Amino acid sequence: MRFRFALVSLALIAASVPVLAQSDLLGKLKDQAGSSLGENLGFQMPAIGSSTIGSAAGVLQYCVKNNYLGGDAASVKDKLLAKITGQKQQEKNFESGAKGLLKGGDGKTLNVKMLSSKLKVKACDYVLKNASSLI
């Protein structure tokens, strides 16, 4: 009964929101869903931000090298690397990331190597999407 009420409430709210706002709302919901990619599987993706550029760049290298990502990923990685050159801690984080270990700014870590192939692709997509915003 509660589920139906919630579903009807959401439908009414969506109907009352202008079309442009609906697409913005949908985008925000997709972003939130991406940031909690693994929640249904018992884990949450580490937060990617300016303090984790090295780790994100390293994971992108790992993903490209292992064919989980193509296209823009190598370019994004190179641009991130240009931002961290000479920063010892970021370079160290890059080395860990290149081995598949994603360290987040929120203290969470994820070993991408330990995921199934399908989840590796999703995790790599998550890193690429979030790392692209740091360029």
Side-chain angles (χ1 to χ4, degrees):
M1 185 70 162
R2 287 183 183 175
F3 177 74
R4 285 186 195 160
F5 178 74
L7 192 57
V8 170
S9 296
L10 283 173
L12 290 172
I13 290 169
S16 67
V17 176
V19 174
L20 288 176
Q22 284 180 6
S23 65
D24 186 46
L25 179 62
L26 182 60
K28 288 179 181 178
L29 289 172
K30 284 181 181 178
D31 288 345
Q32 187 173 357
S35 66
S36 59
L37 169 70
E39 261 183 20
N40 293 335
L41 301 169
F43 65 89
Q44 206 171 17
M45 292 298 292
I48 297 175
S50 59
S51 66
T52 60
I53 291 176
S55 183
V59 170
L60 288 177
Q61 178 167 308
Y62 170 85
C63 294
V64 169
K65 179 181 175 186
N66 291 288
N67 297 315
Y68 297 114
L69 285 176
D72 246 9
S75 172
V76 171
K77 177 209 44 136
D78 291 341
K79 289 175 183 173
L80 293 176
L81 280 175
K83 288 185 167 214
I84 65 165
T85 301
Q87 298 177 36
K88 296 285 187 207
Q89 186 58 47
Q90 289 284 10
E91 289 174 350
K92 189 174 182 180
N93 288 343
F94 174 81
E95 291 173 17
S96 295
K99 295 175 185 171
L101 185 63
L102 177 62
K103 295 180 183 179
D106 56 359
K108 292 182 171 88
T109 59
L110 176 67
N111 190 341
V112 178
K113 291 169 71 173
M114 302 303 288
L115 300 175
S116 69
S117 292
K118 187 175 180 179
L119 284 178
K120 284 178 185 173
V121 170
K122 289 184 178 189
C124 289
D125 285 338
Y126 166 83
V127 174
L128 178 60
K129 179 181 177 183
N130 287 278
S132 295
S133 70
L134 299 173
I135 298 175

